[in-house]
Structures are given as C-alpha cells and as structure tokens.
Amino acid sequence: MTNRYKITFAYDGTKFAGFQKQPQQRTIEGVLTRVVNKMAKRADGEISVYGSGRTDAGVHALAQVAHFDFPFDIPADSMLKGLNSMCPLDIEVKDVEIVSNDFHARYDVTGKKYLYRISQGRFTDPFKRNYTAHWRLPIDFSLIDTAIQDFVGKHDFSSFVASGAKPGSRIRTIFAVNAIDDEVNDEIQLEFYGDGFMYNQIRIMVAVLVEIGMGKRPVHDIQRLLKVKDRQQARLTMPANGLYLKKVYYPGDDPKHSMKKHQQRD
Amino acid sequence: MTNRYKITFAYDGTKFAGFQKQPQQRTIEGVLTRVVNKMAKRADGEISVYGSGRTDAGVHALAQVAHFDFPFDIPADSMLKGLNSMCPLDIEVKDVEIVSNDFHARYDVTGKKYLYRISQGRFTDPFKRNYTAHWRLPIDFSLIDTAIQDFVGKHDFSSFVASGAKPGSRIRTIFAVNAIDDEVNDEIQLEFYGDGFMYNQIRIMVAVLVEIGMGKRPVHDIQRLLKVKDRQQARLTMPANGLYLKKVYYPGDDPKHSMKKHQQRD
C-alpha cells in the first residue's frame, strides 16, 4: 500500500540546470527524486517524482507541483517537514497533500500561470540580477498594457514557439493576462494565465511586448503575428531569469477567482 | 595630475569572501582594485582603492563608499559607465563624484547606517536565503521595538564586540535606531545609525534583540548588558547574510534628515 503525495514547492532556479532529471546535472527533478528515495530508504530513482511540466535552466517557481507514491503512511505535515529538512535551501516545499491514486501532476493540469519580471534602470541591480530580466532602454508601460490584451483568447501560437519545441498543435488558450507597473521597484511585471504554454512561449511573447513598449513595433502587432504563424517574425527571446511559474491549476481550482480585472474585459 | 574619485556602490555579498583584499580570494576591494587598474592600464594594485571600512563575507551593501586616485582626467559620468561595464554583476556603482584630494573614504566618515533583515515563517524562503537571516520561532515585534531604543546614545559596547575586534576604545554613539514590522513580507527590519560600529557589533546586538523578542531576556536587558561590559553575556551572533551597509556619512551629509522619528524620541 502506498500513498500518493501532491507537493507544491518554490525554487530559485539560479543554480539548477532546469527541471528535468539529467545525468551529471543539478536539476529540480533530480534533487527531489534523490530526497524522496532517501526518505523511503530506496535506491535513487526507484520512486519517480512527476512534475506538472518542465522549467528551463534559470527559471524560477513560486508554486510548482509534483506527485510521487510513497511506500509508508506518513501524515502530510510530517512529509512537509521531512522534505524541507532534506531539500537544499533553494527548494522549499510549501504544501503537501495526500491525494487519490489517480491524481497525476502532469496529465491533470487545467491551467498554468506565469509571471515575468523586467527591471528597468540604467545599470543592473546586483540584488535582482538573477531574479529579473534587466532592460535598460525606456519602455512605455501603457503600450505594453494595451498590447498584452491581444494574447487573450484561443489562438495558434506558432509565431511564439521556439524551434526546439515538440511537434503537435500550436493552439492554446490564454484565459487572462495582467500587466503591473511597479514604479517603486522600477519594474514591470507581466502575468499570463492559460491552459498551457509551449517551449519558450512566454519568453518570446514578452520579447514582442518589450519591442512594442519601445515603439519598435505597432501596438497591435501581436494580432498580425498570431495570423502569420511565423517564428522568424517574433525574433527575440527574453532571458530565463525573469520567468516564474506562479501557479498550476487542477480540476477544482476555480480559475474565475484569479486575475478578475482582466477577465472582465474579455 | 590625478583626480580623486569618490564612488558609491552596492554589492550582493553572497559570493565574496568579504571586503578586504586577500590573496586567492574573491573580495570587493580585490575586484575593484583590478578593475580600476585595468581601466588606467596600470599593473594590478598600483592604484589603491580605499573603502569606508570592511564588511564581512556574506554581508551586503546598498551604498558602500570608496575612493581612488586616477591618472587620467575622466568625467564622473564616464567613470561611472566605465566601472559598471567592467565590474561583475554583483557589484553596481551607483554614483561617482570627483572630490578634492584631501577627501578620504575611511578617515572622513562621520557616521554609518546598517540594516538587518530577519525573515520569519516556518521554512526558509528560497528567494531570501542569501538576503535575510531566517528565524522560524515567533518573535514579538513590540518587545524588539521597545528594547532597541536602549541602544541609542553614547555607550561602552564591550558586551557587543566580537573577540577578534582590534583593541581600542569600545565607546561608540548610536544616533538613531528604527524597527520595522514588514508583515507583507513576514520580515522584521532593524536599522542602526551611529558614528561607527565594531567587528560583529550589529550582528551581536540583533541577536540580543531576537532573544528579547522571544521572551528569553527581559525587555530592558540591553541596559544591563551595556553596564556589565561582558561579551559572554550577549552570547550569540546573527548570520552575515541579513546585514546590509545602507549608507556612509561624511561631513556635509546632514544626519538630522534621516530617521527623524526616533531621533525625536532622544
């Protein structure tokens, strides 16, 4: 008899070679798998840890989700303490739930929310260098705030997918977006909430928004890019260090409660 | 003919073995000296960089100050750009001034302000692990807010000096203190503004405040500790990663403009 545990965790992606387990590399999945097997006194890898999806090297998470089957009956709170006592300080488990054995962290995902942070200012702030993308040229926030709305809806995102993405449909739905002009921290924050995002999609979408904010593209160029379905025309990809996986949604999490402001505009 | 440059700079202390130049170690002074000599096309160390004082390994700075003499007449703003283009991303030069040749970054200091950040919460936040001290046990902020006032004034701080400090008078003046209960970030922030601080002094003072906040010492135990002049009785030292050098004062910077709230209580 095993229990299935759903864990929600944050990580600072700076020192990880991404999420997915790889030989000789420090990855989130690799570290968690080692910790879970050690707690269960199993050989490393005997118990698998299934994440909701990958994040790239340098990408952070405020609330990533994974599941695993554990051979002993440990209360959720003891599992939380145990995991945190064994995880390195750049991973923090925030929540543990015992779930039914048919829950799957990846297959059951109904939505994901990502945050992208861009810091402005003449020079790179040493305390933000790993936690925001730095863009020293002036960005007109109001242009971005208008343009980002063009992403909302069901679209073919072929113009916004990196060439390395796996084949398949490029049609995705973005439920809501949000742009915040954080003047206190001289920072622009962009949120995207959708049913799923492809390889580098958000980093390419943000790069287009930045070009619009600098006046290098017309404010509604996203409408055109969605039509032409041509990655070459979107050009740039923003760096990984500004990107955060903010939330993973499963059936029962009500999406309507989040990002109300922009949902009402739909 | 040389110009003397006063530079104000921030650094993330995480990856430095402290401020002071040391063979085979990455230090702030070492990096800046290499950069300045490279810009002047001199052998490393020919031009010296004089800081306002040292900070320990892991201690951060929001506005440290140093000076050096440069053999070419470069405008302050070009020096600022040049330094930032050559400094690593964990040092950011914020301001450059050409000053008179009798300015000295260390001898002319009239005051320093330090900030100490303590994060609360059950587990270490991965994004704060290098930038705050984490204290998971509950702290009663009101006790700290009361107790910290006992440091204000001219005192013999013998109870609050690490054994490795250089000999000399232990009498220092603290002009003002400030305690902030940042509930949004689940963090306590403590500021100390005085004419100078000795080795580990702030980290020892904060450790006593934390013990008071946990109810382990009477609220006015600092008055007693100042009298007994016994380092053994202060016991603990808080970790370096929560400490920030916030400002260095020189003649002409008016101390009365800062931390008004608590100065008025004196």
Short mmCIF file of all heavy atoms in Angstrom, two decimals, chain A residues 163-189:
data_model
loop_
_atom_site.label_atom_id
_atom_site.label_comp_id
_atom_site.label_asym_id
_atom_site.label_seq_id
_atom_site.Cartn_x
_atom_site.Cartn_y
_atom_site.Cartn_z
N SER A 163 12.01 26.85 -31.89
CA SER A 163 12.15 25.78 -32.88
C SER A 163 12.35 24.42 -32.21
O SER A 163 12.01 23.40 -32.77
CB SER A 163 13.33 26.10 -33.80
OG SER A 163 14.47 26.34 -33.02
N GLY A 164 12.86 24.39 -30.99
CA GLY A 164 13.11 23.11 -30.31
C GLY A 164 11.87 22.47 -29.71
O GLY A 164 11.95 21.39 -29.13
N ALA A 165 10.71 23.11 -29.81
CA ALA A 165 9.50 22.58 -29.18
C ALA A 165 9.07 21.28 -29.84
O ALA A 165 9.28 21.07 -31.03
CB ALA A 165 8.37 23.61 -29.26
N LYS A 166 8.45 20.41 -29.06
CA LYS A 166 8.00 19.15 -29.65
C LYS A 166 6.83 19.39 -30.60
O LYS A 166 6.08 20.36 -30.45
CB LYS A 166 7.65 18.12 -28.58
CG LYS A 166 6.78 18.63 -27.48
CD LYS A 166 6.53 17.55 -26.43
CE LYS A 166 5.47 18.09 -25.48
NZ LYS A 166 5.56 17.69 -24.11
N PRO A 167 6.69 18.52 -31.59
CA PRO A 167 5.64 18.73 -32.59
C PRO A 167 4.26 18.62 -31.98
O PRO A 167 4.10 18.19 -30.85
CB PRO A 167 5.88 17.62 -33.61
CG PRO A 167 6.84 16.66 -33.00
CD PRO A 167 7.47 17.29 -31.81
N GLY A 168 3.25 19.03 -32.75
CA GLY A 168 1.87 18.96 -32.27
C GLY A 168 1.19 20.30 -32.46
O GLY A 168 1.77 21.24 -32.98
N SER A 169 -0.06 20.34 -32.05
CA SER A 169 -0.85 21.56 -32.21
C SER A 169 -0.22 22.75 -31.49
O SER A 169 0.30 22.61 -30.39
CB SER A 169 -2.26 21.33 -31.66
OG SER A 169 -2.92 22.56 -31.53
N ARG A 170 -0.27 23.91 -32.15
CA ARG A 170 0.22 25.15 -31.52
C ARG A 170 -0.94 25.99 -31.01
O ARG A 170 -0.77 27.18 -30.70
CB ARG A 170 1.04 25.95 -32.54
CG ARG A 170 2.55 25.70 -32.49
CD ARG A 170 2.93 24.30 -32.92
NE ARG A 170 4.37 24.13 -33.01
CZ ARG A 170 5.09 23.30 -32.28
NH1 ARG A 170 4.50 22.54 -31.37
NH2 ARG A 170 6.39 23.19 -32.46
N ILE A 171 -2.11 25.38 -30.97
CA ILE A 171 -3.28 26.12 -30.49
C ILE A 171 -3.37 26.03 -28.96
O ILE A 171 -3.35 24.94 -28.39
CB ILE A 171 -4.57 25.60 -31.16
CG1 ILE A 171 -4.49 25.92 -32.66
CG2 ILE A 171 -5.82 26.24 -30.53
CD1 ILE A 171 -5.62 25.35 -33.49
N ARG A 172 -3.41 27.18 -28.33
CA ARG A 172 -3.53 27.26 -26.88
C ARG A 172 -4.50 28.38 -26.55
O ARG A 172 -4.74 29.26 -27.38
CB ARG A 172 -2.17 27.60 -26.23
CG ARG A 172 -1.08 26.56 -26.43
CD ARG A 172 -1.32 25.28 -25.64
NE ARG A 172 -0.21 24.33 -25.75
CZ ARG A 172 0.00 23.52 -26.79
NH1 ARG A 172 -0.80 23.53 -27.84
NH2 ARG A 172 1.04 22.68 -26.77
N THR A 173 -5.03 28.33 -25.32
CA THR A 173 -5.93 29.40 -24.89
C THR A 173 -5.29 30.17 -23.74
O THR A 173 -4.80 29.57 -22.78
CB THR A 173 -7.28 28.82 -24.43
OG1 THR A 173 -7.86 28.12 -25.54
CG2 THR A 173 -8.23 29.93 -23.99
N ILE A 174 -5.26 31.48 -23.87
CA ILE A 174 -4.84 32.32 -22.74
C ILE A 174 -6.10 32.91 -22.13
O ILE A 174 -6.86 33.62 -22.78
CB ILE A 174 -3.83 33.39 -23.20
CG1 ILE A 174 -2.53 32.67 -23.64
CG2 ILE A 174 -3.55 34.39 -22.06
CD1 ILE A 174 -1.36 33.56 -23.93
N PHE A 175 -6.35 32.54 -20.86
CA PHE A 175 -7.59 32.95 -20.19
C PHE A 175 -7.52 34.42 -19.78
O PHE A 175 -8.51 35.14 -19.84
CB PHE A 175 -7.81 32.12 -18.93
CG PHE A 175 -7.85 30.63 -19.16
CD1 PHE A 175 -7.09 29.78 -18.36
CD2 PHE A 175 -8.64 30.08 -20.17
CE1 PHE A 175 -7.13 28.41 -18.55
CE2 PHE A 175 -8.68 28.71 -20.37
CZ PHE A 175 -7.92 27.87 -19.57
N ALA A 176 -6.35 34.84 -19.32
CA ALA A 176 -6.25 36.19 -18.77
C ALA A 176 -4.79 36.62 -18.73
O ALA A 176 -3.88 35.78 -18.67
CB ALA A 176 -6.83 36.23 -17.36
N VAL A 177 -4.58 37.91 -18.77
CA VAL A 177 -3.24 38.49 -18.65
C VAL A 177 -3.34 39.66 -17.68
O VAL A 177 -4.42 40.14 -17.38
CB VAL A 177 -2.73 39.00 -20.01
CG1 VAL A 177 -2.52 37.85 -20.98
CG2 VAL A 177 -3.68 40.02 -20.59
N ASN A 178 -2.17 40.08 -17.21
CA ASN A 178 -2.14 41.19 -16.27
C ASN A 178 -0.79 41.88 -16.42
O ASN A 178 0.24 41.21 -16.49
CB ASN A 178 -2.32 40.65 -14.84
CG ASN A 178 -2.73 41.73 -13.87
OD1 ASN A 178 -3.01 42.86 -14.28
ND2 ASN A 178 -2.74 41.40 -12.60
N ALA A 179 -0.81 43.20 -16.48
CA ALA A 179 0.45 43.95 -16.55
C ALA A 179 0.49 44.93 -15.39
O ALA A 179 -0.49 45.65 -15.15
CB ALA A 179 0.54 44.70 -17.88
N ILE A 180 1.58 44.92 -14.65
CA ILE A 180 1.71 45.77 -13.46
C ILE A 180 2.93 46.67 -13.62
O ILE A 180 4.03 46.19 -13.91
CB ILE A 180 1.86 44.91 -12.18
CG1 ILE A 180 0.57 44.11 -11.95
CG2 ILE A 180 2.17 45.79 -10.97
CD1 ILE A 180 0.78 42.86 -11.13
N ASP A 181 2.72 47.96 -13.43
CA ASP A 181 3.81 48.92 -13.50
C ASP A 181 4.24 49.20 -12.06
O ASP A 181 3.64 50.02 -11.37
CB ASP A 181 3.29 50.21 -14.16
CG ASP A 181 4.43 51.18 -14.45
OD1 ASP A 181 5.60 50.77 -14.35
OD2 ASP A 181 4.13 52.34 -14.78
N ASP A 182 5.26 48.49 -11.58
CA ASP A 182 5.71 48.61 -10.20
C ASP A 182 6.77 49.70 -10.15
O ASP A 182 7.97 49.46 -10.24
CB ASP A 182 6.27 47.26 -9.74
CG ASP A 182 6.77 47.30 -8.30
OD1 ASP A 182 6.86 48.39 -7.73
OD2 ASP A 182 7.08 46.22 -7.77
N GLU A 183 6.31 50.93 -9.97
CA GLU A 183 7.22 52.08 -10.04
C GLU A 183 8.17 52.14 -8.85
O GLU A 183 9.29 52.62 -8.96
CB GLU A 183 6.43 53.39 -10.18
CG GLU A 183 5.72 53.46 -11.54
CD GLU A 183 5.00 54.79 -11.77
OE1 GLU A 183 5.15 55.70 -10.94
OE2 GLU A 183 4.30 54.89 -12.79
N VAL A 184 7.70 51.65 -7.71
CA VAL A 184 8.55 51.65 -6.52
C VAL A 184 9.83 50.86 -6.79
O VAL A 184 10.94 51.28 -6.45
CB VAL A 184 7.81 51.06 -5.31
CG1 VAL A 184 8.73 50.94 -4.10
CG2 VAL A 184 6.59 51.92 -4.97
N ASN A 185 9.69 49.71 -7.40
CA ASN A 185 10.86 48.87 -7.67
C ASN A 185 11.40 49.04 -9.09
O ASN A 185 12.28 48.28 -9.49
CB ASN A 185 10.49 47.40 -7.44
CG ASN A 185 10.15 47.14 -6.00
OD1 ASN A 185 10.94 47.44 -5.11
ND2 ASN A 185 8.95 46.63 -5.75
N ASP A 186 10.87 50.01 -9.82
CA ASP A 186 11.32 50.28 -11.19
C ASP A 186 11.27 48.99 -12.01
O ASP A 186 12.25 48.56 -12.62
CB ASP A 186 12.74 50.85 -11.17
CG ASP A 186 13.04 51.69 -12.41
OD1 ASP A 186 12.11 51.87 -13.23
OD2 ASP A 186 14.18 52.15 -12.57
N GLU A 187 10.09 48.38 -11.99
CA GLU A 187 9.93 47.04 -12.53
C GLU A 187 8.59 46.90 -13.24
O GLU A 187 7.60 47.47 -12.80
CB GLU A 187 9.97 46.07 -11.33
CG GLU A 187 10.58 44.75 -11.62
CD GLU A 187 10.60 43.87 -10.39
OE1 GLU A 187 11.37 44.15 -9.46
OE2 GLU A 187 9.83 42.89 -10.37
N ILE A 188 8.57 46.15 -14.31
CA ILE A 188 7.31 45.80 -14.98
C ILE A 188 7.06 44.32 -14.75
O ILE A 188 7.98 43.50 -14.93
CB ILE A 188 7.38 46.12 -16.49
CG1 ILE A 188 7.48 47.64 -16.70
CG2 ILE A 188 6.17 45.55 -17.23
CD1 ILE A 188 7.76 48.03 -18.14
N GLN A 189 5.85 43.98 -14.34
CA GLN A 189 5.51 42.58 -14.10
C GLN A 189 4.37 42.16 -15.02
O GLN A 189 3.37 42.87 -15.11
CB GLN A 189 5.12 42.39 -12.63
CG GLN A 189 6.33 42.49 -11.71
CD GLN A 189 5.98 42.96 -10.31
OE1 GLN A 189 4.81 42.99 -9.95
NE2 GLN A 189 6.98 43.34 -9.54
#
